[in-house]
């Protein structure tokens, strides 16, 4: 804040004080008053109060707000078109759901048919192979026993 080579100590510095110069007071200039007649003479109303006093004054017309802009009526054709569009979208969505349901039902029935065929086919295979082992006149030959008997000449 203070230069290092300054010979003065901060307390020894001279301080200058500036005082603002006052402005001369403004003199109001009186504007000339021009009497103006109103466009129409307002009506004066008098009211007699119950105690007999009479109050006289100007009637105040209430302020009327600006009329709200009337909303245009929606035509029946526009309403019908909008409702028809909503109905069309609902029907399309329903048809898509119905198509998906039919496809899923078809896949489910197909899987049930395949499952029934596999189970029924397995049951038939078990019946065929197990029935041939229980019959007395079968032609099934155990090759190991036959070979063993033939090699050792069991007679």
């Amino acid at each position: 804040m203070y230069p290092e080579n300054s010979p003065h100590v901060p307390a020894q510095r001279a301080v200058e004080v500036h005082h603002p110069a006052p402005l001369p007071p403004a003199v109001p200039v009186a504007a000339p008053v021009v009497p103006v007649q109103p466009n129409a003479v307002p009506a004066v109303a008098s009211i007699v109060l119950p105690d007999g006093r009479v109050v006289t004054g100007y009637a105040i017309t209430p302020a009327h707000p600006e009329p709200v802009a009337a909303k245009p009526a929606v035509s029946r054709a526009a309403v019908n078109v909008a409702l028809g569009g909503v109905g069309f979208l609902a029907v399309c969505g329903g048809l898509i759901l119905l198509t998906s349901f039919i496809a899923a039902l078809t896949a489910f029935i197909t899987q049930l048919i395949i499952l029934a065929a596999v189970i029924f086919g397995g049951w038939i295979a078990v019946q065929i192979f197990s029935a041939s082992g229980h019959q007395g006149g079968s032609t099934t030959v155990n090759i190991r026993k036959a070979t063993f008997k033939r090699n050792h000449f069991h007679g």
Side-chain angles (χ1 to χ4, degrees):
M1 182 155 66
Y2 295 105
E4 293 180 12
N5 298 332
S6 173
H8 300 287
V9 180
Q12 295 176 350
R13 287 189 172 210
V15 177
E16 292 183 28
V17 177
H18 296 282
H19 295 287
L23 296 174
V27 179
V29 178
V33 177
V34 179
V36 177
Q37 289 290 337
N39 293 340
V41 177
V44 177
S46 296
I47 299 174
V48 179
L49 297 176
D51 60 358
R53 294 181 293 164
V54 178
V55 178
T56 304
Y58 294 106
I60 300 174
T61 56
H64 295 292
E66 286 188 30
V68 178
K71 293 182 181 177
V74 179
S75 67
R76 287 186 174 256
V79 172
N80 290 340
V81 168
L83 290 176
V86 170
F88 178 74
L89 289 177
V91 168
C92 288
L95 288 176
I96 289 174
L97 289 175
L98 181 64
T99 306
S100 300
F101 177 74
I102 290 172
L105 188 62
T106 304
F108 178 69
I109 290 172
T110 304
Q111 289 177 354
L112 286 179
I113 291 172
I114 291 172
L115 179 66
V118 168
I119 291 174
F120 187 67
W123 181 75
I124 290 176
V126 167
Q127 295 300 319
I128 290 174
F129 291 123
S130 65
S132 64
H134 294 298
Q135 293 176 354
S138 75
T139 57
T140 304
V141 177
N142 192 338
I143 297 174
R144 288 189 178 179
K145 282 187 176 181
T147 305
F148 182 75
K149 287 180 181 179
R150 192 183 71 202
N151 288 342
H152 287 86
F153 301 106
H154 292 281

